[in-house]
Every structure is written in C-alpha cells, then in structure tokens.
Amino acid sequence: MMEYDGGPVALVRSALVRSGIGDTLRTFPAGVPTALAAAEALECDLAAITNSLIFDLNGEPLLILASGAARVDTKLVAEQLGEVRIRRASPEFVLQHTGQEVGGVAPVGHPGKIRTLLDESLQKHDLLWAGAGDHNSMFSVTYKQLQEVTEALELKVR
C-alpha cells in the first residue's frame, strides 16, 4: 500500500476521523476504479462495495450510496421521493459538487452537504467498503456508521 497525503483523500480521511469512524483508509497502487476491481483487491463480496453515485435532481446533487452488485433504478427512487425525474450527472457536475472525480467519489469529504440516499440492501453486510476520494483508495465502515455520517435516508434503490 502507498500513502496519500493530500487532495480529496485527505478530506475524506479528515471527515472519517472527525465523525469517530477513524482512519480506515486503504490505498492500492494498481487502482480500484470500479466496484469489481475494489472487491477483487479487498477480497470481499461485490455487494459489500458501496458505490457513491451522483445524480442531478432538478439541478441539485443527489448522492445515492448503492451496492456495487446492482444498478440503481432511478424511476423507483424518483417515485419514492415524489420527484419526476432523476438524471445521471455529468463528470463536471460531479466534480463541482463533490470535489472528486467520477469513479472515486466518496460518501463524505465534499465541499458542502449533499442530500444522500442509502441502499437498504447494504445492511446485510457486516462491513462495507466505499471509495475514498480517488481511484486508488477505499475505506471500511459499517452500515450504521455510513448512515449516521452521511445522514442518509434509507431507501430501496433497486
């Protein structure tokens, strides 16, 4: 593992430490740009990888924390939220609102608060892994910790 001492990963690490979760980051020189790559590197179930997906909800960011083993059903989510349409955000929109690039977005460490939804199917895993701000880093967290630190609404997203 290599150390990373700046940028988005430092902000994620700081947010985790401040929240009481602690520094659970791991960095992989070969990269973990996809849920499958992360699951292989961490030797864990693909469903325990937590994807941080940014959507555009009427011009505002919506962060959906979803299992790496399934796709988000945006129609289902929109219906539950009472919204008409949720669109996948552009890479520029994601960077603007998170300070992180697509493929490395973390659930925390953003410049401002982002409305967040948490895939309730993730609660069946004792330990989850989430992106930590770049394509090389991940952190471990429990479902309860993730819900608390993000103040996410638990929802069926698939």
Side-chain angles (χ1 to χ4, degrees):
M1 278 191 294
M2 63 186 209
E3 279 300 310
Y4 190 92
D5 58 0
V9 174
L11 293 172
V12 171
R13 178 177 282 125
S14 177
L16 293 172
V17 170
R18 276 193 323 273
S19 74
I21 293 171
D23 184 355
T24 62
L25 267 84
R26 290 187 55 193
T27 302
F28 302 88
V32 284
T34 66
L36 182 57
E40 289 173 356
L42 291 161
E43 298 178 352
C44 72
D45 186 349
L46 178 61
I49 300 297
T50 305
N51 285 332
S52 298
L53 307 170
I54 297 289
F55 292 86
D56 183 332
L57 179 62
N58 304 317
E60 295 296 321
L62 175 68
L63 173 58
I64 299 180
L65 304 173
S67 170
R71 294 184 66 117
V72 171
D73 182 341
T74 54
K75 287 183 179 183
L76 174 66
V77 172
E79 287 172 9
Q80 292 177 87
L81 295 178
E83 297 290 345
V84 177
R85 187 171 160 210
I86 297 172
R87 298 185 324 243
R88 185 158 307 262
S90 70
E92 297 79 21
F93 185 91
V94 172
L95 185 59
Q96 173 190 355
H97 292 283
T98 67
Q100 303 162 6
E101 294 182 3
V102 171
V105 175
V108 297
H110 312 134
K113 178 81 176 113
I114 297 177
R115 183 178 182 186
T116 304
L117 307 178
L118 179 58
D119 179 355
E120 37 182 50
S121 76
L122 289 167
Q123 63 188 310
K124 62 184 158 191
H125 301 281
D126 292 333
L127 190 67
L128 301 171
W129 289 91
D134 70 7
H135 294 137
N136 295 84
S137 306
M138 302 288 291
F139 71 90
S140 62
V141 64
T142 67
Y143 181 87
K144 182 178 179 190
Q145 289 172 322
L146 186 58
Q147 193 281 323
E148 289 174 357
V149 74
T150 61
E151 298 176 6
L153 172 65
E154 298 169 276
L155 202 67
K156 184 175 183 175
V157 301
R158 56 190 182 112

